[in-house]
Amino acid sequence: MDPRHAILFEPVAIGPKTLPNRFYQVPHASGFGSVKPRTQAAFRAIKAEGGWGGVCVEYAPVSDESDEVPYVAANVWDDGDARALSLTAEKVHSHGALAGLELYHGGASSLNGASRAVRLAPSQLASEIRFASLAKEMTAADIARVQRQWVEAARRGRDAGFDIIYVYGAHGYLFTQFISPVTNRRTDGYGGSVADRGRLWLETLEAVRSAIGGDCAIATRICVDGRDGLPGIEVEETLELVKLADDLVDLWDLTVGSWPEDSGTSRFYPEGSQRPWSHRVREATTKPVVAVGRYSSPDLMAEVIRSGAADLIGAARQAIADPFLPRKIAEGRLDEIRECTGSNLCILREEAFNHIGCVQNATAGEEFRRGWHPEVFTRAAQPDRAVLVVGAGPAGMECAVVLGKRGFSAVHLVEAEAEIGGRLRWTRRLPTLGDWGRITDWRAVQLGKLPGVEVITGRRLSAADILDYGAEIVVIATGSSWRGDGVQPGRVERIAGAGAGLAHVLTPEQVAAGQRPPGRSVIVYDTDGYYVGPGVAELLAADGFSVTVVTTFPVLSPVSDETLEGEMLRADVHRRGISVRRGLTITGIEAGSVRGVDEYDEPWSAECDGVVLVTQQASDNRLYAELTSDQAALDRAGIRAVYVIGDAVAPRILSEAVFDGHRLAREIDLPDPSQPALYRREYPDLTS
Ligand code: ADP
């Protein structure tokens, strides 16, 4: 280990417990909660195995009055729930780490979709975030009940083996609703001054402490940020609250701003952007502080600790991207660290699909159900079979890396272009998306280290080349490209006037390669809804074009809302002087103008010198089709199998292309690796 990093491996006492080092996986959602206990346990345990000294599960509602359905939470409503979660505590302990349980009450923001319980709030006010029905203003009996539920849940958590019990106060949930003068208008001693608004939280901390404080560390999460912290309260008032609570707290877990800011994407937030705020909290506490910041640089982590800004390096996303980061630092294997891209595809996977995934770490969430380990690879059955992977995009790179790690001794990864990376070659050069290039960078380092894998660039293979190559297994990973032919979602007819070879109709790849439309005004037509439309628009605006994005969606880039960056992205696009027209379809393009229909089918038109079509991608599966159409030729060439992965199968978000490449390499010894093996599932307890 580099001696400069030794400070990261010092133990830290928190109340009656001691963390073995300063690496702390803060609570974060996974989609597993208490409903997939084995998946949960395996997902968290891998982080403990990789060296994280503290590992927490996600938000854990104390009762069915805070039910998050359709989202998945780690409910601790009764002993059955607690038993399900005890598996996680046990597995985390088996690697020497402490386990944390983030007890929680959503108050007015709870969905209560399953329980149908009335939502609870300090005051009956219409909520900005929950529609249709209002919450109930809590009575004294409601307050006493919630506090009792919290204490009972804390006891259950302790008995289930958790070392760290939270009294979660951040992110706009029940305690925040009491603390904020925006949502709390009470006059009964639980509203008014800062101390009175904080009273529910302080009393609950006290009650939990007296119940289990001798056995467990008491943690709390609180938001500090003068710009957008606790709604309506300034940072000085937050610090006043921290001082009032400090005797009751063993560990301060800080969040900064709203969730989209706290889990800010790499587009808008560099590593360590929360530092100034954690420094402020230092002024008010003598207890250990954990702060996040998408830290992946051990030098910066050590500097943060030395500066006194925090005692623990908190991580959610970086711990997902590389569960073994602490061990790699301890062993001086810094070039092995899989750095988080800050794309928030983990959040998209977890929120939209209730099962977390990661673009950098294809094994995230697959530890139990597929038995995948991020650092352990079983040796292949016949590792001397020669494998040719055609195309070094995310899917091809990942496949070659995993084949190499499984001991294959003759893997050739052949790429047509001079540089590996596939679509990332240009994506990483779009404004603000540089950190996405970490997907390529980590794989480039790995490929260089694997003796069995050779990377050949600048060679575009034809089907004849592949037949002649001498490979026994061929993996086609040729990706996809953006269509320029005017095919668009939801319409039979193509866009009239679109087509290849026109100077005034371009695809995103052509723009990324430096081609520009004639004139000064350009329309970017986006029916895709994610990052490519805004990215291309920003690229052209930076070049001095007058840019309008026309989108079929009601907002620009709705997918970016799933990655928490929609609002910031739209503000950024606006700041760069790009106009946006929503809810419009383009049906025809001429030199100098476009025409189409609006959401009511009324015609519209606009003048422009050129159009970029971000309409739809098409798989490049020609090589696969050609090779598999001639079995006799494959037999003559000694090719036993041809597989296709990634966007060449179907264009998908980046995490799925990486997953596809990883999966094939893991399962290549199965009788039919072309289809994913059925994964293990968990069943509800049928004995109760
Ligand atoms: P994916 O996300 O599925 O990995 P990409 O489109 O990002 O797909 O990458 C595909 C890669 O395959 C690109 O780098 C492209 O240059 C390369 N490629 C496409 N056809 C060939 C070919 N015939 N020979 C070698 N490389 C190819």
Side-chain angles (χ1 to χ4, degrees), residues 225-476:
D225 182 343
R227 294 165 305 176
D228 187 17
L230 297 168
I233 88 166
E234 287 303 314
V235 68
E236 273 65 29
E237 285 185 312
T238 309
L239 298 185
E240 205 178 314
L241 279 169
V242 171
K243 281 184 194 146
L244 285 172
D246 208 32
D247 283 347
L248 306 169
V249 172
D250 299 317
L251 173 64
W252 287 98
D253 178 339
L254 308 182
T255 67
V256 173
S258 59
W259 191 25
E261 290 169 305
D262 195 36
S263 296
T265 54
S266 55
R267 269 181 188 282
F268 302 114
Y269 293 93
E271 185 176 355
S273 62
Q274 281 102 328
R275 265 176 90 182
W277 303 105
S278 21
H279 257 300
R280 293 299 317 268
V281 168
R282 262 281 163 257
E283 298 167 17
T285 175
T286 58
K287 301 293 178 61
V289 169
V290 55
V292 294
R294 207 166 49 80
Y295 293 113
S296 59
S297 150
D299 288 351
L300 185 56
M301 293 178 199
E303 191 196 312
V304 167
I305 303 293
R306 263 188 226 105
S307 75
D311 303 277
L312 302 173
I313 298 298
R317 290 171 295 171
Q318 183 54 55
I320 302 166
D322 196 343
F324 275 62
L325 173 130
R327 288 252 301 251
K328 289 174 183 174
I329 297 173
E331 292 163 13
R333 296 187 288 130
L334 303 188
D335 60 344
E336 301 264 321
I337 294 173
R338 259 195 313 266
E339 291 183 292
C340 171
T341 63
S343 64
N344 281 2
L345 285 176
C346 49
I347 292 170
L348 180 149
R349 285 266 340 152
E350 175 270 310
E351 291 281 298
F353 304 118
N354 276 339
H355 199 104
I356 206 163
C358 173
V359 70
Q360 273 287 47
N361 172 15
T363 69
E366 307 296 345
E367 300 85 354
F368 167 76
R369 66 178 193 174
R370 293 184 210 266
W372 293 356
H373 187 292
E375 305 292 321
V376 178
F377 298 85
T378 52
R379 196 168 166 77
Q382 293 164 274
D384 49 353
R385 288 174 293 173
V387 187
L388 170 63
V389 181
V390 186
M397 291 190 291
E398 178 74 1
C399 189
V401 166
V402 178
L403 290 172
K405 287 184 185 270
R406 294 199 61 203
F408 274 91
S409 56
V411 178
H412 280 203
L413 174 62
V414 180
E415 167 56 49
E417 302 294 328
E419 199 189 329
I420 62 170
R423 64 182 124 154
L424 288 165
R425 276 191 300 269
W426 57 272
T427 300
R428 70 185 303 175
R429 294 188 178 108
L430 292 176
T432 72
L433 290 185
D435 276 2
W436 289 26
R438 291 173 166 189
I439 297 168
T440 306
D441 297 342
W442 183 80
R443 282 157 189 82
V445 171
Q446 298 301 308
L447 290 165
K449 285 184 172 201
L450 289 163
V453 186
E454 198 174 322
V455 180
I456 297 134
T457 52
R459 187 154 175 220
R460 182 173 294 279
L461 296 177
S462 65
D465 296 332
I466 294 170
L467 289 170
D468 276 350
Y469 206 91
E472 205 171 313
I473 300 173
V474 173
V475 180
I476 301 294

Side-chain angles (χ1 to χ4, degrees), residues 648-667:
V649 181
R652 286 159 286 171
I653 54 173
L654 276 163
S655 55
E656 306 316 290
V658 173
F659 172 83
D660 225 16
H662 192 100
R663 187 212 58 82
L664 179 70
R666 287 262 185 188
E667 296 185 343

